[in-house]
């Protein structure tokens, strides 16, 4: 499987948010814990809506959560 062209800071942001679990984030965003895990690991590309919802949970701009890689 090809690697996604962007990285994310979800795991770090969860840790900084009182060690929020993947399940807690999934519940707040409206996806499963498995989806959050796959996004964190770079195995799944979230929809634009889910990406914005994740950023909103952490009160961060999208660019602080997801970063395009300039390979």
């Amino acid at each position: 499987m090809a690697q996604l062209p962007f990285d994310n800071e979800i795991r770090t942001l969860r840790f900084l948010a009182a060690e929020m679990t993947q399940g807690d984030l999934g519940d707040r965003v409206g996806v499963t814990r498995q989806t959050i895990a796959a996004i964190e690991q770079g195995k799944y590309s979230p929809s634009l809506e889910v990406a914005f919802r994740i950023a909103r949970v952490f009160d961060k701009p999208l660019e602080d959560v997801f970063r395009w890689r300039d390979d």
Side-chain angles (χ1 to χ4, degrees):
M1 182 175 158
Q3 190 173 9
L4 297 177
F6 56 87
D7 295 316
N8 70 74
E9 295 296 323
I10 297 171
R11 185 172 183 187
T12 300
L13 291 167
R14 283 192 309 102
F15 179 79
L16 295 173
E19 299 185 20
M20 178 187 297
T21 68
Q22 291 173 336
D24 291 340
L25 179 57
D27 288 345
R28 293 182 68 180
V29 173
V31 299
T32 65
R33 179 202 62 78
Q34 293 86 345
T35 298
I36 296 297
I39 294 168
E40 274 188 20
Q41 296 167 11
K43 295 180 179 179
Y44 178 74
S45 180
S47 69
L48 188 56
E49 179 182 354
V50 169
F52 273 105
R53 286 180 183 209
I54 291 170
R56 181 172 284 174
V57 166
F58 297 115
D59 196 29
K60 299 282 185 187
L62 193 62
E63 297 83 11
D64 286 355
V65 181
F66 297 93
R67 284 186 325 280
W68 193 262
R69 248 188 274 113
D70 291 325
D71 293 341

